[in-house]
Amino acid sequence: MPANTRLSFLDNYLTLWIFLAMILGIGIGYFMPDSSAWINSFSSGSTNVPLAVGLIIMMFPPLTKVDFTLVPAMFKQGKLLWISLFITWIVGPLLMFLLAICFLSDKPEYLTGLIIIGLAPCIAMVIVWNELAGGNRELTAGLVGINSVLQVLFFSAYAYFYLEIMLPLFGLSGIHIDISFLEIAQTVGVYLGIPFVAAVFSRFVLRKVKGDQWFFYRFIPFVSPFTLVALLFTIMLMFSLKGHMIVAIPLDVLRIAIPLVLFFGSMFLLMFFTAKKVGASYADTAAVSFTASGNNFELAIAVSIGVFGLNSGQAFAGVIGPLVEVPALLLLVKFAAWARKNYFFN
């Protein structure tokens, strides 16, 4: 089908398209410095509407492919589930905290921004990375749902523990963050709730009205390319918002990027080989690994802007996060494909 051809064409040259989108975004931000102010004018509170639209469209097609009736069965994998939650929620925040201390102790604003990034796992782009790697969609959807609830319940407590209790133990000043459950729930609802509801509606209502044949062989092939197109749009937008700063203070960007790259790689590999060790399939291993390695940058940016201001170092670190995550997780998608051939013979 033409739709499949388009998707295959995008897939085959995805790495090239992503790097071109990054370069284009930086160019727009650098040579058109007023563009970031114009893009930010389309904001509601701390939510950038064009960026939110890009993320929502990006997540919609993978979620329409999820068989939600199979999601409850994923929770029967008790051992893998508990391992995933332990590495994601205990190891992850602690690792990011230690990396921030090691690399940015002389830059308290960047350090704080990095710690905030580590407090919540990804609930958005992980769906796309898992889709590109051929991971278990139902397991990813279940984990994203669990992580969303845990973020609403525990983000504030984690922020208090790491910023007010842990920082003084390392000789740094404690920082108080006041953010309500409602503010966190609003961010989670925008970036996950909207595409989730749209996908559930599409899957159950459209199948009933138009039939399975139309849904699986017409609708899904039609919407599937939207994921990668929206991904490229989102990447270009993110890089354009900070294109001028990336060029102006590249060393600061590099200092923030190094601990982030170490975090993504360490979390992915730890989860990947742990899941393989306990006998998980490739699809399940990919799902838990990408879930553990990504972070909820949308929430981190919203918190940093709300507490410290739009032009703060914390907000800058939050924005650099997804700029580093995109190429890092793309490389991990490539690694997952290589490992699938060499380590998962089933």
Side-chain angles (χ1 to χ4, degrees), residues 3 21 32 43 68 81 84 115 177 185 198 235 255-256 303 308 327 330:
M32 302 172 63
S43 296
F68 293 100
L81 182 62
S84 174
I115 293 172
I177 286 184
I235 290 170
R255 290 197 60 185
I256 297 170
V303 170
F308 302 103
L330 181 62

Side-chain angles (χ1 to χ4, degrees), residues 4-335:
N4 289 335
T5 301
R6 289 198 302 273
L7 181 60
S8 176
F9 178 71
L10 288 173
D11 275 333
N12 289 335
Y13 298 97
L14 179 60
T15 304
L16 174 62
W17 306 142
I18 286 179
F19 280 102
L20 287 177
M22 292 163 58
I23 294 170
L24 178 60
I26 293 173
I28 292 173
Y30 182 74
F31 293 107
M32 302 172 63
D34 293 337
S35 61
S36 60
W38 182 75
I39 294 171
N40 281 319
S41 68
F42 299 96
S43 296
S44 176
S46 60
T47 300
N48 183 280
V49 175
L51 185 60
V53 170
L55 287 168
I56 290 168
I57 295 175
M58 181 177 66
M59 289 189 291
F60 172 70
L63 285 172
T64 60
K65 300 174 187 177
V66 174
D67 187 345
F68 293 100
T69 62
L70 298 178
V71 172
M74 298 299 105
F75 299 108
K76 295 180 180 179
Q77 303 185 63
K79 187 174 183 180
L80 182 62
L81 182 62
W82 283 112
I83 290 173
S84 174
L85 292 176
F86 177 80
I87 292 178
T88 301
W89 282 96
I90 304 301
V91 176
L94 179 60
L95 175 61
M96 188 70 89
F97 177 85
L98 295 175
L99 287 170
I101 293 292
C102 290
F103 286 90
L104 295 167
S105 59
D106 62 328
K107 296 281 187 178
E109 289 190 352
Y110 295 161
L111 178 144
T112 305
L114 213 62
I115 293 172
I116 294 173
I117 289 172
L119 299 182
C122 186
I123 59 169
M125 293 190 72
V126 61
I127 296 171
V128 177
W129 302 126
N130 178 73
E131 182 76 6
L132 293 175
N136 187 325
R137 296 177 184 132
E138 288 71 31
L139 180 56
T140 300
L143 288 171
V144 164
I146 293 174
N147 289 334
S148 300
V149 173
L150 293 178
Q151 282 179 34
V152 174
L153 295 176
F154 297 116
F155 184 88
S156 296
Y158 265 52
Y160 170 79
F161 176 74
Y162 278 101
L163 296 177
E164 294 194 47
I165 296 178
M166 289 291 286
L167 278 180
L169 296 179
F170 287 79
L172 299 169
S173 300
I175 299 171
H176 175 70
I177 286 184
D178 185 15
I179 182 169
S180 68
F181 287 173
L182 183 60
E183 291 173 293
I184 301 170
Q186 181 180 357
T187 303
V188 172
V190 168
Y191 292 105
L192 179 64
I194 293 175
F196 178 82
V197 170
V200 171
F201 176 85
S202 299
R203 189 170 183 91
F204 288 101
V205 176
L206 291 181
R207 286 176 66 189
K208 186 175 182 179
V209 173
K210 302 289 289 186
D212 286 354
Q213 184 77 11
W214 180 87
F215 182 81
F216 288 111
Y217 293 98
R218 296 289 296 276
F219 180 73
I220 285 185
F222 172 74
V223 300
S224 289
F226 292 176
T227 292
L228 301 183
V229 173
L231 173 63
L232 296 175
F233 168 77
T234 304
I235 290 170
M236 183 189 69
L237 193 65
M238 289 190 300
F239 275 80
S240 67
L241 287 170
K242 294 297 179 182
H244 190 273
M245 295 187 71
I246 291 172
V247 176
I249 48 174
L251 292 181
D252 284 31
V253 174
L254 181 62
R255 290 197 60 185
I256 297 170
I258 291 174
L260 283 170
V261 170
L262 292 174
F263 176 84
F264 297 140
S266 299
M267 289 293 291
F268 183 91
L269 294 175
L270 174 62
M271 188 71 252
F272 194 91
F273 288 109
T274 301
K276 178 68 170 62
K277 184 71 174 179
V278 299
S281 66
Y282 168 78
D284 290 351
T285 298
V288 295
S289 299
F290 283 106
T291 303
S293 56
N295 289 99
N296 187 348
F297 291 106
E298 299 81 18
L299 178 58
I301 293 170
V303 170
S304 295
I305 292 175
V307 176
F308 302 103
L310 179 63
N311 296 315
S312 65
Q314 290 87 348
F316 180 67
V319 173
I320 294 301
L323 306 188
V324 178
E325 182 188 41
V326 168
L329 270 293
L330 181 62
L331 289 176
L332 291 175
V333 169
K334 299 290 186 182
F335 169 82

